[in-house]
Amino acid sequence: MNAHTATARTERSQPAHIGDHLREWRQRRHLSQLDLAGDAEISARHLSFVETGRAAPSREMVLKLAERLEVPLRERNVLLVAAGYAPAFPQRSLDDPALKPARAAIDLVLKAHEPSPALAIDRHWNLVSANRMMMPLLQGISPWLLGQPINVLRLAFHPEGLAARTVNLAEWCSHLLERLHRQCETTADPELLKLHAELKAYPIPARSGPLSSDHVAIPFKLRLNGDVLSFISTTMIFGTPVDITLSELALETFFPADDLTAERMRAMAAALD
């Protein structure tokens, strides 16, 4: 997928035929008709007829092809509607009673991760929730960057955000930009494409070279009150979501990468008690 293809897709005034959608997703996954047909256990001839509009797929076939293509749940609904069927996957607010167990799980993970920072983000990297250890790290951030919705990538890249205090800015932002690029390739989400273009325009220095062999992960190094705090991060997602909102949530957790950082985070937590 290139930017022109993705932009053209989002500018269509009417939904495309189901065959057009399937062809785009197949090409985005770099699969031939024969490959996809084999994965979905249908004939390549029938798949060709579906893509050209000569055959109408059943609801079950649309869902099966979408699963094989690893289409996000939100876009699976688009495929179903384009084929003339009702959407299959609900999208609820996190305040919906049906998502109460999931919200409780998020809150539990964030709280249990203290005294280290952790946050939950949506599909556009907007902050959904965070534990109390995040705020001490945001000292000096321009207030407009903390207005709702708070976009954590914009916080990381903007000169008035964390970029000014990130010691390894080139390495950390290159890592984040690569993650976002993979998301753009996977989802073709127009908002993510716009965010990717915005972040690339910020004055981030180029990475000098590959990390040395003694690194096990790319750390996030932040200057704070005369110290350099160093973290390694992990990303968690829900394993078997069938709700769109839940499928698009991610929990970002940060762990101290050295003893100094662990000590400073414990001290910050104690000051907040």
Side-chain angles (χ1 to χ4, degrees), residues 137-146 150-167 169 172-173 198-199 202-204 220-224:
L137 303 182
L138 301 182
Q139 296 178 19
I141 296 294
S142 182
W144 75 268
L145 284 169
L146 299 178
I150 299 174
N151 187 276
V152 299
L153 286 184
R154 191 173 291 114
L155 276 180
F157 279 73
H158 200 282
E160 297 177 29
L162 292 173
R165 292 193 289 114
T166 302
V167 175
L169 183 64
W172 180 243
C173 285
E198 175 190 338
L199 299 181
Y202 288 128
I204 303 299
F220 170 46
K221 296 184 177 182
L222 186 69
R223 189 177 293 106
L224 184 68

Side-chain angles (χ1 to χ4, degrees), residues 197-254:
E198 175 190 338
L199 299 181
K200 287 188 69 175
Y202 288 128
I204 303 299
R207 187 159 52 188
S208 58
L211 291 175
S212 62
S213 59
D214 59 342
H215 282 83
V216 296
I218 297 175
F220 170 46
K221 296 184 177 182
L222 186 69
R223 189 177 293 106
L224 184 68
N225 299 329
D227 295 318
V228 174
L229 305 183
S230 183
F231 300 93
I232 57 175
S233 65
T234 65
T235 303
M236 293 183 286
I237 59 174
F238 284 89
T240 54
V242 292
D243 177 273
I244 292 174
T245 299
L246 202 57
S247 73
E248 295 172 345
L249 281 178
L251 274 65
E252 301 283 335
T253 55
F254 294 84

Side-chain angles (χ1 to χ4, degrees), residues 4 68 148 227:
H4 175 75
R68 296 300 186 275
Q148 297 296 327
D227 295 318

